[in-house]
Every structure is written in structure tokens, then in C-alpha cells.
């Protein structure tokens, strides 16, 4: 069957993945209000297209942290790609390299950072990081990825504790025995007797993480630091004051606090506060090229997709992820042209009309 839009990949994945795996990827926290609102919020935003603008030639290229990518959509950090496709993150890395965009590798990968680099040596990659109670663990992985040529660190800040994802609890979700959190292979073997949470021992994440840890991270690396999980202007201002290089506006795909804002609804106040001092990105709810256009019009430099990449993997591995990215690229180019924009520099807030719904 022809895959025409991202929903086609979603339906395929739902049919073909095991129930526990599908539920894990699909999960939101509590009643899933925020997860669902991430998508609904885009439907409340209307575009104001301009016409007769000569859109015979269009250019979707942009830059993130000074590096050119082919279009403003990258892959957000999501865990356990081997649950969806046997090659896992290696396939994701090859697909993003082929389309010349940015892949944020998750700490919770089922392939190691070394395997990912070997599979796609010319890919542009950032690394998503958690801060652990054992700071040495975090420090070791930072030095590993810096040595491997990852270009930025993405510090996830919205998980002092894991959100309550009801279906994972009902399913007693666990990684199957043949899969591991590869970046920590061997590190936790002595603790395997204790309770486990998403592939590593429970209570490994540090709930005491605070702004001072941003300074700590800056002291151990020269890589740019991008903070993922900011939803308010107050925290955006603090991020700038602490000298980070970027913000990803994100509610963790609605998997952490239920009842927070949709990512796209939080974007404007953050962009207005930051005022171009650092780059602002977004993830959560991107399903079409027009979603990408709306995000850029509201001030995002680039957006990142999480679940749709996993659906692409479930469909056909590397080829599936390439197809998902290509469809978004084509739809974005078309939406741009139909709105009268020839390149990303012409996309601005005048394109947006908030509907009265």
C-alpha cells in the first residue's frame, strides 16, 4: 500500500507492533490530555496565505547551531528503536544522514553511540543526556560522545521522576531480554537484582537536578548545550542567563506532566522572551508539513519528530524513516509555496491567524 502521509505509518505500526511495544511508544501521562493536545493545538492555528509571489523556485534549507540542514525537521530523541526494527538506531542514523538533517540520539538507545557513528559516519548528530545520581555516569557518556564527533548535548530537564504512563504499568513494560540500553552495557550488571525502570535500575535519574547542573555540564564539555523541556518564559529567560546555546520547547510528547500546554502553544511566549539571543526549537505533535510551517512562523528555528520516526522504523527500517522525512519535506515545501514563501527566511508571524475555536 502507498504511504501517503504520516498517519499511514501510524496505522501500520499499530497493526504490526506488539501491544506492549505500541502502548509504550503511544503512551502519554495520566489521561493523555497533553499528548492529545499537542496534535489538536495545530488544528486551532490557521494560516494567512499570500498569493502571486512567484514560488516557481523554493528552498527549504536552514541552519541549526551554524550547520546547514536540508529542511527544518530533525529526529527527536526517542528510546529503544530496536523494539520497532531489528537494526534500531543504526537505521535511524542512516536515514537522517541520507536526508541531511539532524538526529538527536537518545541516552536510552538500543545501539551504542559508537555503533551509530560507524553506521552513518557523515551524519549530523546531537546527543540527548540525562543527569544521573552518579554524576560520573553522565560525565563518561559526555566525553564519549564528544570524542565521537557529536555536535551538541541536549539536556532533558523535565524528568526528575518518570511520568505515570498507565498502559506501561498495566503491561508491566520491560525491555525484552535480547535488548539492552547499550550505552550502559555492563555498567549496571551488579544491580540487576533490584527493580528496573525502562531498562536501567530504578532511581538512577537524579531528582535534585537544578540550574547549577547546567554550570557543571559546561565545566566538563566544550559542546553547545541545548535544554529540552522548557515550557515557560521564566525558564526560557533563566536558560539564556545560564549561557546555554538553545532551547527545545517540549512536554516530552505528553509523557511527563499531564495538563501542561501543547508545545506549539508554549512556543510564542518563549520566542518573545528569548528575542533571538539563542535558537529555539520545538517537538511534540508535528504530523504534517503545514505543522512545520506553523511552528517556524511562530518562531521555531527547527522542529523534531519523535513517534513518527518510530512508525517509519516499524514500517521498513531505514527506508521507512527516510520516507517519513521525505513526506514531511515535500509537504513542507508545498505548504510554503501555497502560503507564498520561497525560503525559510520569508516565513514569519504574519502567516498566522489564530482561529476563534
Amino acid at each position: 500500500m502507498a504511504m501517503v502521509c504520516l498517519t499511514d505509518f501510524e496505522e501500520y505500526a499499530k497493526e504490526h507492533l506488539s501491544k506492549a511495544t505500541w502502548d509504550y511508544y503511544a503512551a502519554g501521562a495520566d489521561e493523555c490530555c497533553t499528548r492529545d493536545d499537542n496534535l489538536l493545538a495545530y488544528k486551532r492555528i490557521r494560516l494567512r496565505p499570500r498569493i502571486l509571489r512567484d514560488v516557481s523556485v523554493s528552498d527549504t534549507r536552514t541552519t541549526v547551531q551554524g550547520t546547514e540542514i536540508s529542511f527544518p525537521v530533525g529526529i527527536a530523541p526517542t528510546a529503544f528503536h530496536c523494539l520497532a526494527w531489528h537494526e534500531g538506531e543504526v537505521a535511524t542514523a542512516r536515514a537522517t544522514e541520507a536526508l541531511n538533517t539532524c538526529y538527536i540520539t537518545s541516552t536510552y538507545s538500543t545501539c551504542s553511540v559508537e555503533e551509530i557513528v560507524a553506521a552513518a559516519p557523515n551524519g549530523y548528530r546531537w546527543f540527548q543526556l540525562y543527569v544521573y545520581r552518579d554524576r560520573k555516569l553522565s560525565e563518561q557518556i559526555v566525553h564519549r560522545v564528544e570524542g565521537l564527533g557529536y555536535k551538541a548535548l541536549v539536556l532533558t530537564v523535565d524528568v526528575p521522576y518518570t511520568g505515570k504512563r498507565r498502559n506501561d504499568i498495566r503491561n508491566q513494560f520491560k525491555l525484552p531480554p535480547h535488548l539492552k540500553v547499550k550505552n550502559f552495557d555492563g555498567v549496571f550488571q551488579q544491580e540487576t537484582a533490584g527493580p528496573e525502570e525502562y531498562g536501567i535500575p530504578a532511581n538512577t535519574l537524579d531528582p535534585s537536578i537544578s540550574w547549577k547542573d547546567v554550570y557543571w555540564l559546561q565545566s566538563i564539555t566544550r559542546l553547545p548545550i541545548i535544554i529540552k523541556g522548557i515550557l515557560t518564559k521564566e525558564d526560557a529567560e533563566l536558560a539564556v542567563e545560564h549561557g546555554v546555546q538553545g532551547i527545545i520547547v517540549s512536554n516530552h510528547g505528553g509523557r511527563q506532566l499531564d495538563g501542561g500546554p501543547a508545545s506549539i502553544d508554549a512556543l510564542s511566549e518563549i520566542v518573545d522572551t528569548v528575542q533571538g539571543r539563542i535558537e529555539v526549537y520545538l517537538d511534540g505533535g508535528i504530523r504534517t508539513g503545514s505543522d512545520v510551517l506553523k511552528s517556524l512562523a511562530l518562531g521555531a528555528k527547527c522542529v523534531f519528530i519523535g513517534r513518527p520516526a518510530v512508525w517509519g522504523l516499524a514500517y521498513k527500517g531505514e527506508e521507512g524513516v527516510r520516507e517519513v522525512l521525505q513526506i514531511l519535506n515535500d509537504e513542507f515545501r508545498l505548504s510554503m509555496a501555497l502560503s507564498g514563501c520561497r525560503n525559510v527566511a520569508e516565513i514569519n508571524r504574519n502567516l498566522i491567524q489564530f482561529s476563534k475555536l
Side-chain angles (χ1 to χ4, degrees):
M1 118 184 174
M3 303 305 248
V4 176
C5 61
L6 269 55
T7 312
D8 292 344
F9 292 88
E10 180 177 18
E11 287 169 4
Y12 181 94
K14 187 168 189 178
E15 246 173 72
H16 290 82
L17 294 172
S18 74
K19 183 186 184 301
T21 295
W22 170 260
D23 284 351
Y24 166 71
Y25 289 133
D30 302 324
E31 297 173 295
C32 301
C33 298
T34 299
R35 178 198 69 181
D36 296 344
D37 201 37
N38 272 348
L39 278 73
L40 293 170
Y42 280 102
K43 301 184 197 319
R44 295 193 287 265
I45 299 167
R46 295 284 176 269
L47 293 162
R48 302 176 62 249
R50 300 297 306 276
I51 44 88
L52 298 174
R53 298 281 283 262
D54 182 4
V55 289
S56 55
V57 178
S58 64
D59 182 359
T60 60
R61 288 174 302 170
T62 191
T63 62
V64 285
Q65 299 296 317
T67 295
E68 186 180 282
I69 55 176
S70 63
F71 73 121
V73 179
I75 303 284
T78 51
F80 310 150
H81 288 191
C82 285
L83 282 178
W85 182 258
H86 64 280
E87 289 183 301
E89 289 81 6
V90 156
T92 313
R94 288 196 196 113
T96 31
E97 180 185 58
L99 270 93
N100 185 29
T101 189
C102 179
Y103 171 28
I104 308 179
T105 304
S106 169
T107 283
Y108 285 79
S109 294
T110 37
C111 303
S112 70
V113 284
E114 289 81 7
E115 288 167 332
I116 290 164
V117 170
N122 300 311
Y124 179 61
R125 276 175 291 270
W126 299 346
F127 182 77
Q128 175 272 328
L129 179 77
Y130 287 108
V131 172
Y132 297 106
R133 289 175 192 266
D134 178 357
R135 289 290 189 279
K136 274 274 169 279
L137 265 186
S138 300
E139 193 169 336
Q140 282 161 1
I141 193 89
V142 166
H143 291 147
R144 262 168 83 185
V145 300
E146 193 163 7
L148 285 163
Y150 285 73
K151 297 301 184 206
L153 294 175
V154 174
L155 177 65
T156 299
V157 293
D158 55 5
V159 191
Y161 301 95
T162 306
K164 182 178 179 181
R165 304 166 195 169
R166 294 175 183 177
N167 282 343
D168 285 348
I169 298 167
R170 291 186 184 111
N171 296 333
Q172 298 184 300
F173 175 82
K174 263 179 126 79
L175 268 185
H178 69 284
L179 295 180
K180 303 187 183 67
V181 177
K182 264 302 212 19
N183 290 320
F184 298 127
D185 201 3
V187 172
F188 295 121
Q189 276 167 350
Q190 70 283 3
E191 299 168 52
T192 43
E196 185 188 285
E197 191 173 59
Y198 298 113
I200 65 170
N203 303 318
T204 307
L205 291 174
D206 190 350
S208 80
I209 182 173
S210 69
W211 286 105
K212 71 179 188 304
D213 292 295
V214 174
Y215 289 141
W216 168 76
L217 200 51
Q218 288 163 337
S219 77
I220 64 165
T221 183
R222 298 170 66 173
L223 290 176
I225 294 165
I226 293 154
I227 293 196
K228 173 178 179 289
I230 286 182
L231 292 167
T232 62
K233 61 187 179 188
E234 294 88 347
D235 283 335
E237 182 57 46
L238 282 165
V240 174
E241 286 171 12
H242 282 77
V244 305
Q245 279 71 38
I247 287 170
I248 303 179
V249 178
S250 173
N251 52 39
H252 215 102
R255 294 161 77 82
Q256 284 299 106
L257 176 69
D258 199 31
S263 300
I264 191 67
D265 288 341
L267 179 62
S268 291
E269 73 170 63
I270 289 169
V271 167
D272 290 345
T273 295
V274 168
Q275 294 197 320
R277 289 175 291 174
I278 59 176
E279 291 184 348
V280 177
Y281 317 108
L282 169 142
D283 71 25
I286 299 282
R287 298 295 180 267
T288 66
S290 96
D291 295 342
V292 181
L293 182 63
K294 289 169 182 177
S295 304
L296 266 65
L298 289 169
K301 180 80 168 152
C302 179
V303 301
F304 294 90
I305 55 168
R307 293 181 183 95
V310 172
W311 305 335
L313 276 177
Y315 173 60
K316 219 184 269 185
E318 177 191 342
E319 195 183 325
V321 179
R322 282 166 84 149
E323 279 188 51
V324 164
L325 286 168
Q326 191 61 57
I327 286 170
L328 274 180
N329 193 349
D330 294 343
E331 288 182 354
F332 172 59
R333 188 184 293 274
L334 182 58
S335 295
M336 264 175 68
L338 297 179
S339 303
C341 300
R342 288 162 292 218
N343 55 57
V344 295
E346 293 185 347
I347 301 170
N348 61 49
R349 214 173 276 193
N350 293 331
L351 268 184
I352 297 293
Q353 168 191 332
F354 289 93
S355 71
K356 302 294 178 280
L357 286 178

